[in-house]
Coordinates of all heavy atoms in Angstrom, one line a residue:
M1 N 12.6 22.7 -1.8 CA 11.2 22.2 -1.9 C 10.2 23.2 -1.3 O 10.5 23.7 -0.2 CB 11.0 20.8 -1.3 CG 9.6 20.3 -1.4 SD 9.3 18.6 -0.9 CE 10.8 18.1 -0.1
S2 N 9.2 23.5 -2.0 CA 8.2 24.5 -1.5 C 7.5 23.9 -0.3 O 7.1 22.7 -0.2 CB 7.2 24.8 -2.6 OG 6.1 25.5 -2.0
M3 N 7.1 24.8 0.7 CA 6.4 24.3 1.9 C 4.9 24.1 1.6 O 4.2 23.5 2.3 CB 6.5 25.4 3.0 CG 7.9 25.5 3.6 SD 8.6 24.1 4.3 CE 7.7 24.0 5.8
T4 N 4.5 24.6 0.4 CA 3.1 24.4 0.0 C 2.8 23.2 -0.9 O 1.8 23.1 -1.4 CB 2.6 25.7 -0.7 OG1 3.4 25.9 -1.8 CG2 2.6 26.9 0.3
M5 N 3.8 22.4 -1.1 CA 3.7 21.2 -1.9 C 2.6 20.3 -1.4 O 2.6 20.0 -0.2 CB 5.0 20.4 -2.0 CG 5.7 20.5 -3.3 SD 7.3 19.6 -3.1 CE 6.9 18.4 -4.3
G6 N 1.7 19.8 -2.2 CA 0.7 18.8 -1.8 C 1.3 17.5 -1.6 O 2.4 17.2 -2.0
L7 N 0.5 16.6 -1.0 CA 0.9 15.2 -0.7 C 1.3 14.5 -1.9 O 2.3 13.8 -2.0 CB -0.2 14.5 0.1 CG 0.2 13.0 0.4 CD1 1.4 12.9 1.3 CD2 -1.0 12.4 1.2
K8 N 0.4 14.6 -3.0 CA 0.7 13.8 -4.2 C 1.9 14.3 -4.9 O 2.7 13.5 -5.4 CB -0.5 13.9 -5.1 CG -1.7 13.1 -4.7 CD -2.7 12.9 -5.8 CE -3.8 11.9 -5.2 NZ -4.7 11.5 -6.2
A9 N 2.2 15.6 -4.8 CA 3.4 16.1 -5.4 C 4.6 15.6 -4.7 O 5.6 15.2 -5.3 CB 3.4 17.6 -5.5
K10 N 4.5 15.5 -3.3 CA 5.6 15.0 -2.5 C 5.9 13.5 -2.8 O 7.0 13.1 -3.0 CB 5.3 15.2 -1.1 CG 5.4 16.7 -0.6 CD 5.2 16.8 0.8 CE 5.2 18.3 1.2 NZ 4.8 18.5 2.6
L11 N 4.8 12.8 -2.9 CA 4.9 11.3 -3.1 C 5.5 11.1 -4.5 O 6.2 10.1 -4.7 CB 3.6 10.6 -3.0 CG 3.0 10.5 -1.6 CD1 1.6 9.9 -1.6 CD2 3.9 9.7 -0.7
G12 N 5.2 12.0 -5.4 CA 5.7 11.9 -6.8 C 7.2 12.0 -6.9 O 7.8 11.6 -7.9
L13 N 7.9 12.5 -5.8 CA 9.3 12.7 -5.8 C 10.0 11.3 -5.5 O 11.2 11.1 -5.8 CB 9.7 13.7 -4.8 CG 9.3 15.1 -5.1 CD1 9.6 16.0 -3.9 CD2 9.9 15.7 -6.3
D14 N 9.3 10.5 -4.8 CA 9.8 9.2 -4.4 C 10.0 8.3 -5.7 O 9.3 8.5 -6.7 CB 8.9 8.4 -3.4 CG 8.9 9.1 -2.1 OD1 9.9 9.8 -1.7 OD2 7.8 9.1 -1.4
V15 N 10.9 7.4 -5.6 CA 11.2 6.4 -6.7 C 10.8 5.0 -6.2 O 11.1 4.6 -5.1 CB 12.7 6.5 -7.1 CG1 12.9 5.4 -8.2 CG2 13.0 7.8 -7.6
F16 N 10.1 4.3 -7.1 CA 9.6 3.0 -6.7 C 10.2 2.0 -7.7 O 10.0 2.1 -8.9 CB 8.1 2.9 -6.7 CG 7.4 3.9 -5.8 CD1 7.1 5.1 -6.2 CD2 7.2 3.5 -4.4 CE1 6.5 6.0 -5.3 CE2 6.7 4.4 -3.6 CZ 6.3 5.7 -4.0
K17 N 10.8 1.0 -7.2 CA 11.4 0.0 -8.1 C 10.6 -1.3 -7.8 O 10.7 -1.9 -6.7 CB 12.9 -0.2 -7.8 CG 13.6 -1.2 -8.8 CD 15.1 -1.2 -8.5 CE 15.8 -2.2 -9.3 NZ 17.2 -2.4 -8.9
P18 N 9.9 -1.8 -8.8 CA 9.1 -3.0 -8.6 C 9.9 -4.2 -8.4 O 10.9 -4.4 -9.1 CB 8.2 -3.0 -9.9 CG 9.0 -2.3 -10.9 CD 9.8 -1.3 -10.2
G19 N 9.4 -5.2 -7.6 CA 10.0 -6.5 -7.5 C 9.3 -7.5 -8.4 O 8.4 -7.1 -9.2
K20 N 9.7 -8.7 -8.4 CA 9.1 -9.7 -9.3 C 7.7 -10.0 -8.8 O 6.8 -10.3 -9.7 CB 9.9 -11.0 -9.2 CG 11.3 -10.9 -9.9 CD 12.0 -12.3 -9.8 CE 13.5 -12.1 -10.1 NZ 14.4 -12.6 -9.1
E21 N 7.4 -9.9 -7.6 CA 6.1 -10.2 -7.0 C 5.7 -9.1 -6.1 O 6.5 -8.5 -5.5 CB 6.1 -11.5 -6.2 CG 5.7 -12.7 -7.0 CD 5.4 -13.9 -6.1 OE1 4.4 -13.8 -5.3 OE2 6.1 -14.9 -6.2
A22 N 4.4 -8.8 -6.0 CA 3.9 -7.8 -5.1 C 4.2 -8.2 -3.6 O 4.0 -9.4 -3.3 CB 2.4 -7.6 -5.2
H23 N 4.7 -7.3 -2.8 CA 5.1 -7.7 -1.5 C 3.9 -7.7 -0.5 O 4.0 -8.1 0.6 CB 6.3 -6.9 -0.9 CG 6.0 -5.4 -0.9 ND1 6.0 -4.5 -1.9 CD2 5.6 -4.6 0.2 CE1 5.7 -3.3 -1.6 NE2 5.5 -3.3 -0.3
I24 N 2.8 -7.1 -1.0 CA 1.6 -7.1 -0.2 C 0.5 -7.6 -1.1 O 0.4 -7.2 -2.3 CB 1.2 -5.7 0.3 CG1 2.3 -5.1 1.2 CG2 -0.1 -5.8 1.1 CD1 2.1 -3.6 1.5
K25 N -0.3 -8.6 -0.6 CA -1.4 -9.1 -1.4 C -2.6 -9.3 -0.5 O -2.5 -9.6 0.7 CB -1.1 -10.5 -2.0 CG 0.0 -10.5 -3.0 CD 0.3 -11.9 -3.4 CE 1.6 -11.9 -4.2 NZ 2.2 -13.2 -4.3
I26 N -3.8 -9.0 -1.1 CA -5.0 -9.4 -0.3 C -5.2 -10.9 -0.4 O -5.0 -11.5 -1.5 CB -6.3 -8.7 -1.0 CG1 -6.1 -7.2 -0.8 CG2 -7.6 -9.2 -0.4 CD1 -7.2 -6.3 -1.6
K27 N -5.4 -11.5 0.7 CA -5.5 -13.0 0.7 C -6.8 -13.4 -0.1 O -7.8 -12.7 -0.1 CB -5.6 -13.5 2.1 CG -4.3 -13.4 2.8 CD -4.2 -14.2 4.1 CE -2.8 -14.2 4.6 NZ -2.7 -14.8 6.0
P28 N -6.6 -14.5 -0.9 CA -7.8 -14.9 -1.8 C -9.0 -15.1 -1.0 O -9.0 -15.7 0.1 CB -7.3 -16.2 -2.3 CG -5.8 -16.2 -2.2 CD -5.5 -15.3 -1.0
G29 N -10.1 -14.5 -1.5 CA -11.4 -14.7 -0.9 C -11.7 -13.6 0.2 O -12.8 -13.6 0.8
M30 N -10.8 -12.8 0.5 CA -10.9 -11.7 1.5 C -11.3 -10.4 1.0 O -11.3 -9.4 1.7 CB -9.6 -11.6 2.4 CG -9.3 -12.9 3.1 SD -10.6 -13.2 4.3 CE -9.9 -14.4 5.4
E31 N -11.5 -10.3 -0.3 CA -11.7 -9.0 -0.9 C -12.9 -8.2 -0.4 O -12.9 -6.9 -0.5 CB -11.9 -9.1 -2.4 CG -10.7 -9.7 -3.2 CD -10.5 -11.2 -3.1 OE1 -11.4 -11.8 -2.5 OE2 -9.6 -11.7 -3.7
K32 N -13.9 -8.9 0.2 CA -15.0 -8.2 0.8 C -15.0 -8.1 2.3 O -16.0 -7.7 2.9 CB -16.3 -8.8 0.3 CG -16.7 -8.6 -1.2 CD -18.1 -9.1 -1.5 CE -18.5 -8.7 -2.9 NZ -19.8 -9.1 -3.2
D33 N -13.9 -8.6 2.9 CA -13.9 -8.6 4.3 C -13.9 -7.2 4.9 O -13.1 -6.3 4.4 CB -12.6 -9.3 4.8 CG -12.6 -9.6 6.3 OD1 -12.4 -8.6 7.1 OD2 -12.8 -10.8 6.6
P34 N -14.7 -6.9 5.9 CA -14.9 -5.5 6.4 C -13.5 -4.9 6.9 O -13.3 -3.7 6.9 CB -15.9 -5.6 7.5 CG -16.5 -6.9 7.4 CD -15.7 -7.8 6.5
R35 N -12.7 -5.8 7.4 CA -11.4 -5.3 7.9 C -10.6 -4.6 6.9 O -9.8 -3.7 7.2 CB -10.6 -6.5 8.5 CG -11.2 -7.0 9.8 CD -10.5 -8.3 10.3 NE -10.9 -9.4 9.4 CZ -10.6 -10.7 9.7 NH1 -9.9 -11.0 10.7 NH2 -11.1 -11.6 8.9
L36 N -10.7 -5.0 5.6 CA -9.9 -4.4 4.5 C -10.4 -3.0 4.2 O -9.6 -2.2 3.7 CB -10.1 -5.3 3.3 CG -9.1 -6.3 3.0 CD1 -9.4 -7.0 1.7 CD2 -7.7 -5.8 3.0
K37 N -11.6 -2.7 4.6 CA -12.1 -1.3 4.3 C -11.3 -0.3 5.1 O -11.2 0.9 4.7 CB -13.6 -1.2 4.6 CG -14.4 -2.0 3.7 CD -15.9 -1.8 3.8 CE -16.6 -2.6 2.8 NZ -18.1 -2.4 2.9
R38 N -10.7 -0.7 6.2 CA -9.9 0.2 7.0 C -8.7 0.7 6.2 O -8.2 1.8 6.3 CB -9.3 -0.5 8.3 CG -10.4 -1.0 9.2 CD -9.8 -1.9 10.3 NE -10.8 -2.6 11.0 CZ -10.6 -3.7 11.8 NH1 -9.4 -4.2 11.8 NH2 -11.6 -4.2 12.5
A39 N -8.2 -0.2 5.3 CA -7.0 0.2 4.5 C -7.3 1.4 3.5 O -6.5 2.2 3.2 CB -6.5 -1.0 3.7
V40 N -8.6 1.4 3.1 CA -9.0 2.5 2.2 C -8.8 3.8 2.9 O -8.4 4.8 2.3 CB -10.4 2.3 1.7 CG1 -10.9 3.4 0.8 CG2 -10.6 0.9 1.0
L41 N -9.1 3.8 4.2 CA -9.1 5.0 5.0 C -7.7 5.4 5.4 O -7.4 6.6 5.6 CB -10.0 4.9 6.2 CG -11.5 4.6 6.0 CD1 -12.2 4.3 7.3 CD2 -12.1 5.8 5.3
V42 N -6.8 4.4 5.7 CA -5.6 4.7 6.4 C -4.3 4.7 5.5 O -3.3 5.3 5.9 CB -5.3 3.8 7.6 CG1 -6.4 3.9 8.6 CG2 -5.1 2.3 7.2
C43 N -4.4 4.1 4.3 CA -3.2 4.0 3.5 C -2.8 5.4 3.1 O -3.5 6.1 2.4 CB -3.4 3.1 2.3 SG -2.0 3.1 1.1
P44 N -1.6 5.9 3.5 CA -1.2 7.3 3.1 C -1.0 7.5 1.6 O -1.0 8.6 1.2 CB 0.1 7.5 3.9 CG 0.6 6.1 4.2 CD -0.6 5.2 4.3
A45 N -0.8 6.4 0.9 CA -0.5 6.5 -0.5 C -1.8 6.3 -1.3 O -1.8 6.4 -2.6 CB 0.5 5.5 -1.0
G46 N -2.9 6.0 -0.7 CA -4.2 5.8 -1.4 C -4.2 4.6 -2.3 O -4.8 4.7 -3.4
L47 N -3.6 3.5 -1.9 CA -3.5 2.4 -2.8 C -4.7 1.4 -2.8 O -4.7 0.5 -3.6 CB -2.2 1.7 -2.5 CG -0.9 2.5 -2.7 CD1 0.3 1.7 -2.4 CD2 -0.8 3.1 -4.0
Y48 N -5.5 1.6 -1.8 CA -6.7 0.7 -1.7 C -8.0 1.5 -2.1 O -8.1 2.7 -1.8 CB -6.9 0.2 -0.2 CG -5.8 -0.6 0.3 CD1 -4.6 -0.1 0.8 CD2 -6.0 -2.0 0.3 CE1 -3.6 -1.0 1.3 CE2 -5.0 -2.9 0.8 CZ -3.8 -2.3 1.3 OH -2.8 -3.1 1.8
S49 N -8.9 0.8 -2.8 CA -10.1 1.4 -3.1 C -11.2 0.3 -3.1 O -10.9 -0.9 -3.2 CB -10.1 2.1 -4.5 OG -9.7 1.1 -5.5
E50 N -12.5 0.8 -3.0 CA -13.6 -0.2 -3.0 C -14.3 0.0 -4.3 O -14.7 1.1 -4.7 CB -14.5 0.2 -1.8 CG -15.7 -0.8 -1.7 CD -16.5 -0.7 -0.4 OE1 -16.2 0.3 0.3 OE2 -17.4 -1.4 -0.2
N51 N -14.5 -1.2 -5.0 CA -15.3 -1.1 -6.3 C -16.8 -1.2 -6.1 O -17.2 -1.3 -4.9 CB -14.7 -2.2 -7.3 CG -15.0 -3.6 -6.8 OD1 -15.9 -3.8 -6.0 ND2 -14.3 -4.5 -7.3
K52 N -17.5 -1.1 -7.1 CA -19.0 -1.1 -7.0 C -19.5 -2.4 -6.5 O -20.6 -2.4 -5.9 CB -19.6 -0.8 -8.4 CG -19.4 0.6 -8.9 CD -20.0 0.9 -10.2 CE -19.8 2.3 -10.6 NZ -20.2 2.6 -12.0
A53 N -18.8 -3.5 -6.6 CA -19.2 -4.8 -6.0 C -18.9 -4.9 -4.5 O -19.2 -5.9 -3.9 CB -18.6 -5.9 -6.8
G54 N -18.3 -3.8 -4.0 CA -18.0 -3.9 -2.6 C -16.7 -4.6 -2.3 O -16.4 -4.9 -1.1
E55 N -15.9 -4.9 -3.3 CA -14.6 -5.6 -3.1 C -13.5 -4.5 -3.0 O -13.6 -3.5 -3.7 CB -14.3 -6.5 -4.3 CG -15.3 -7.6 -4.5 CD -15.1 -8.3 -5.8 OE1 -14.6 -7.6 -6.8 OE2 -15.5 -9.4 -5.9
I56 N -12.5 -4.8 -2.2 CA -11.4 -3.9 -2.0 C -10.4 -4.3 -3.1 O -10.0 -5.5 -3.2 CB -10.8 -4.0 -0.6 CG1 -11.9 -3.6 0.5 CG2 -9.6 -3.0 -0.5 CD1 -12.5 -2.3 0.3
E57 N -9.9 -3.3 -3.8 CA -8.9 -3.5 -4.8 C -7.6 -2.8 -4.3 O -7.7 -1.8 -3.6 CB -9.3 -2.9 -6.1 CG -10.6 -3.6 -6.7 CD -11.1 -3.0 -8.0 OE1 -10.8 -1.8 -8.2 OE2 -11.7 -3.7 -8.8
F58 N -6.5 -3.3 -4.8 CA -5.2 -2.8 -4.3 C -4.2 -2.9 -5.3 O -4.1 -3.9 -6.1 CB -4.8 -3.7 -3.1 CG -3.4 -3.5 -2.6 CD1 -3.0 -2.3 -2.0 CD2 -2.4 -4.4 -2.8 CE1 -1.7 -2.1 -1.6 CE2 -1.1 -4.2 -2.3 CZ -0.8 -3.0 -1.7
T59 N -3.3 -1.9 -5.4 CA -2.2 -1.9 -6.3 C -1.0 -1.6 -5.4 O -1.0 -0.7 -4.6 CB -2.2 -0.9 -7.5 OG1 -1.0 -1.0 -8.2 CG2 -2.5 0.5 -7.0
V60 N 0.1 -2.4 -5.6 CA 1.3 -2.2 -4.7 C 2.2 -1.0 -5.2 O 3.0 -0.5 -4.4 CB 2.0 -3.5 -4.5 CG1 2.9 -3.8 -5.8 CG2 2.9 -3.5 -3.3
D61 N 2.0 -0.6 -6.4 CA 2.8 0.4 -7.0 C 2.7 1.7 -6.2 O 1.6 2.3 -6.2 CB 2.5 0.7 -8.5 CG 2.7 -0.6 -9.3 OD1 3.6 -1.4 -8.9 OD2 2.1 -0.7 -10.3
G62 N 3.7 2.2 -5.6 CA 3.6 3.5 -4.8 C 3.6 3.2 -3.4 O 3.5 4.1 -2.6
C63 N 3.7 1.9 -3.0 CA 3.7 1.6 -1.5 C 4.9 2.2 -0.8 O 6.0 2.1 -1.3 CB 3.7 0.1 -1.4 SG 3.8 -0.4 0.4
L64 N 4.6 2.8 0.3 CA 5.6 3.5 1.1 C 6.2 2.5 2.2 O 7.1 3.0 3.0 CB 5.0 4.7 1.8 CG 4.4 5.7 0.8 CD1 3.6 6.7 1.6 CD2 5.5 6.4 0.0
E65 N 5.8 1.3 2.3 CA 6.3 0.3 3.2 C 6.1 0.7 4.6 O 7.0 0.4 5.5 CB 7.7 -0.1 2.9 CG 7.9 -0.6 1.5 CD 9.3 -0.6 1.0 OE1 10.2 -0.8 1.9 OE2 9.6 -0.5 -0.2
C66 N 5.1 1.5 4.9 CA 4.9 2.0 6.3 C 4.3 1.0 7.2 O 4.4 1.1 8.4 CB 4.0 3.3 6.2 SG 2.3 3.0 5.7
G67 N 3.6 0.0 6.7 CA 3.0 -1.0 7.6 C 1.6 -0.6 8.2 O 1.1 -1.4 8.9
T68 N 1.1 0.5 7.8 CA -0.2 0.9 8.4 C -1.3 0.0 8.0 O -2.1 -0.4 8.9 CB -0.5 2.3 7.9 OG1 0.6 3.2 8.2 CG2 -1.8 2.9 8.6
C69 N -1.4 -0.5 6.8 CA -2.4 -1.4 6.4 C -2.3 -2.7 7.2 O -3.3 -3.4 7.5 CB -2.5 -1.6 4.9 SG -0.9 -2.3 4.2
R70 N -1.1 -3.2 7.4 CA -0.9 -4.4 8.2 C -1.5 -4.3 9.6 O -2.1 -5.2 10.1 CB 0.6 -4.8 8.2 CG 0.9 -6.1 8.9 CD 2.4 -6.3 8.9 NE 2.8 -7.6 9.4 CZ 3.0 -7.8 10.7 NH1 2.8 -6.9 11.6 NH2 3.3 -9.0 11.1
I71 N -1.2 -3.2 10.2 CA -1.7 -2.9 11.6 C -3.2 -2.8 11.6 O -3.9 -3.3 12.4 CB -1.0 -1.7 12.2 CG1 0.5 -1.9 12.3 CG2 -1.6 -1.4 13.6 CD1 1.0 -3.0 13.2
A72 N -3.7 -2.0 10.6 CA -5.2 -1.7 10.6 C -6.0 -2.9 10.2 O -7.1 -3.1 10.8 CB -5.4 -0.6 9.6
C73 N -5.5 -3.7 9.3 CA -6.4 -4.8 8.8 C -6.0 -6.2 9.3 O -6.9 -7.1 9.5 CB -6.3 -4.9 7.3 SG -6.7 -3.4 6.4
G74 N -4.7 -6.4 9.6 CA -4.3 -7.7 10.2 C -3.8 -8.6 9.1 O -4.2 -8.5 7.9
T75 N -3.1 -9.6 9.5 CA -2.5 -10.6 8.6 C -3.5 -11.7 8.2 O -3.1 -12.6 7.5 CB -1.2 -11.1 9.1 OG1 -1.4 -11.6 10.4 CG2 -0.1 -10.1 9.2
E76 N -4.7 -11.7 8.8 CA -5.7 -12.7 8.4 C -6.2 -12.3 7.0 O -6.7 -13.2 6.3 CB -6.8 -12.8 9.4 CG -6.4 -13.5 10.7 CD -7.5 -13.5 11.7 OE1 -8.6 -13.3 11.4 OE2 -7.1 -13.8 12.9
V77 N -6.2 -11.1 6.7 CA -6.7 -10.6 5.4 C -5.7 -10.2 4.4 O -5.9 -10.1 3.2 CB -7.8 -9.5 5.5 CG1 -9.0 -10.1 6.2 CG2 -7.3 -8.3 6.2
L78 N -4.5 -9.8 4.9 CA -3.4 -9.3 4.1 C -2.2 -10.3 4.2 O -1.8 -10.6 5.3 CB -3.0 -7.9 4.5 CG -3.8 -6.8 4.1 CD1 -3.3 -5.5 4.6 CD2 -4.0 -6.7 2.6
D79 N -1.6 -10.6 3.1 CA -0.3 -11.3 3.1 C 0.7 -10.1 2.9 O 0.9 -9.6 1.9 CB -0.3 -12.2 1.9 CG 1.0 -13.1 1.9 OD1 1.8 -13.0 2.8 OD2 1.1 -13.8 0.9
W80 N 1.4 -9.8 4.0 CA 2.2 -8.6 4.1 C 3.7 -8.9 4.3 O 4.0 -9.7 5.2 CB 1.7 -7.7 5.2 CG 2.1 -6.2 5.1 CD1 1.3 -5.2 4.7 CD2 3.4 -5.6 5.4 NE1 2.0 -4.0 4.7 CE2 3.3 -4.3 5.1 CE3 4.6 -6.1 5.8 CZ2 4.3 -3.4 5.3 CZ3 5.7 -5.3 6.0 CH2 5.5 -3.9 5.7
G81 N 4.5 -8.4 3.5 CA 6.0 -8.5 3.7 C 6.7 -7.3 3.1 O 6.1 -6.5 2.4
Y82 N 8.0 -7.2 3.4 CA 8.8 -6.2 2.8 C 9.2 -6.6 1.4 O 9.3 -7.8 1.2 CB 10.0 -5.8 3.7 CG 9.6 -5.0 4.9 CD1 9.6 -5.6 6.1 CD2 9.3 -3.7 4.8 CE1 9.3 -4.9 7.3 CE2 8.9 -3.0 5.9 CZ 9.0 -3.6 7.2 OH 8.6 -2.8 8.3
P83 N 9.5 -5.7 0.5 CA 10.0 -6.1 -0.8 C 11.4 -6.7 -0.7 O 12.1 -6.5 0.3 CB 10.0 -4.8 -1.6 CG 9.7 -3.7 -0.6 CD 9.3 -4.3 0.7
E84 N 11.7 -7.5 -1.7 CA 13.0 -8.1 -1.8 C 14.1 -7.0 -1.9 O 13.8 -5.8 -2.3 CB 13.1 -9.0 -3.0 CG 12.9 -8.3 -4.3 CD 12.6 -9.3 -5.4 OE1 11.5 -9.9 -5.4 OE2 13.4 -9.5 -6.3
G85 N 15.3 -7.3 -1.6 CA 16.4 -6.3 -1.6 C 16.5 -5.6 -2.9 O 16.3 -6.2 -4.0
D86 N 16.9 -4.3 -2.8 CA 17.1 -3.4 -4.0 C 15.8 -3.1 -4.8 O 15.8 -2.7 -5.9 CB 18.1 -4.1 -4.9 CG 18.7 -3.0 -5.9 OD1 18.9 -1.9 -5.4 OD2 19.0 -3.4 -7.0
T87 N 14.6 -3.4 -4.2 CA 13.4 -3.0 -4.8 C 12.6 -2.2 -3.8 O 12.9 -2.2 -2.6 CB 12.5 -4.2 -5.3 OG1 12.1 -5.0 -4.1 CG2 13.4 -5.1 -6.2
G88 N 11.5 -1.7 -4.2 CA 10.6 -0.9 -3.3 C 10.8 0.6 -3.4 O 11.4 1.1 -4.4
V89 N 10.5 1.2 -2.3 CA 10.5 2.7 -2.3 C 11.9 3.2 -2.0 O 12.6 2.7 -1.2 CB 9.5 3.3 -1.3 CG1 9.9 3.0 0.1 CG2 9.3 4.8 -1.5
Q90 N 12.3 4.3 -2.7 CA 13.5 5.1 -2.4 C 13.0 6.5 -2.1 O 12.4 7.2 -3.0 CB 14.4 5.1 -3.5 CG 15.1 3.8 -3.8 CD 15.9 3.8 -5.1 OE1 16.3 4.9 -5.6 NE2 16.3 2.7 -5.6
Y91 N 13.1 6.9 -0.8 CA 12.6 8.2 -0.4 C 13.5 9.3 -1.0 O 14.7 9.2 -1.0 CB 12.5 8.3 1.1 CG 11.3 7.5 1.6 CD1 11.5 6.3 2.2 CD2 10.0 8.0 1.5 CE1 10.5 5.5 2.7 CE2 9.0 7.3 2.0 CZ 9.2 6.0 2.6 OH 8.2 5.3 3.1
R92 N 12.9 10.4 -1.3 CA 13.7 11.6 -1.8 C 13.3 12.8 -0.9 O 12.1 12.9 -0.6 CB 13.4 11.9 -3.3 CG 13.7 10.8 -4.2 CD 15.2 10.6 -4.3 NE 15.6 9.3 -4.9 CZ 15.9 9.2 -6.2 NH1 15.9 10.2 -7.0 NH2 16.2 8.0 -6.7
F93 N 14.2 13.6 -0.6 CA 14.0 14.8 0.2 C 13.3 14.5 1.5 O 12.4 15.2 1.9 CB 13.1 15.8 -0.6 CG 13.8 16.2 -2.0 CD1 13.3 15.7 -3.1 CD2 14.9 17.0 -2.0 CE1 13.9 16.0 -4.3 CE2 15.5 17.3 -3.2 CZ 15.0 16.8 -4.4
G94 N 13.7 13.4 2.1 CA 13.3 13.1 3.5 C 11.9 12.4 3.5 O 11.3 12.2 4.4
Ligands
SF4_101 S1 2.4 -0.4 3.7 FE1 1.6 1.7 3.9 S2 1.8 2.7 1.9 FE2 2.0 0.4 1.6 S3 -0.1 -0.3 1.1 FE3 0.2 -0.5 3.4 S4 -0.6 1.5 4.2 FE4 -0.3 1.8 2.0

């Protein structure tokens, strides 16, 4: 692997196997909570974004299961768990 590979290219090497349900969800009614905006800044996979209405949107596809959003935002706004067995991220090349 080249030492000059960008983050997106490196993340693209990982394999993600989806589960039946998302293992992380924004709790209903919390989409505009200011604590969620932290996830936009800290998620290393860039899975959180803020829409024009000021709501935080999230897709679990590509989640690295690092737990950063859980620590940054807290479980009052996020329903956070690990994926069921045999699903989720499979890291490649470390
Ligand atoms: S666990 Fe990590 S990669 Fe997954 S959504 Fe949270 S911050 Fe992003």
Side-chain angles (χ1 to χ4, degrees):
M1 180 175 7
S2 166
M3 295 298 286
T4 58
M5 253 179 114
L7 178 61
K8 287 197 173 185
K10 287 180 181 175
L11 290 176
L13 296 174
D14 294 329
V15 175
F16 301 93
K17 187 174 174 188
K20 288 183 197 126
E21 268 194 60
H23 62 279
I24 303 171
K25 295 177 190 160
I26 296 172
K27 288 192 173 175
M30 295 297 193
E31 295 82 359
K32 286 189 174 183
D33 191 287
R35 287 171 287 188
L36 266 181
K37 293 187 180 182
R38 300 172 189 159
V40 178
L41 300 173
V42 300
C43 174
L47 302 180
Y48 293 85
S49 60
E50 184 172 2
N51 66 21
K52 288 181 181 172
E55 297 167 336
I56 303 302
E57 297 177 335
F58 170 68
T59 177
V60 78
D61 298 332
C63 176
L64 303 168
E65 301 166 29
C66 65
T68 306
C69 58
R70 183 180 187 275
I71 299 297
C73 305
T75 52
E76 290 178 13
V77 294
L78 285 178
D79 185 4
W80 202 102
Y82 285 107
E84 60 197 71
D86 200 34
T87 67
V89 66
Q90 293 175 14
Y91 288 102
R92 301 291 166 97
F93 303 106

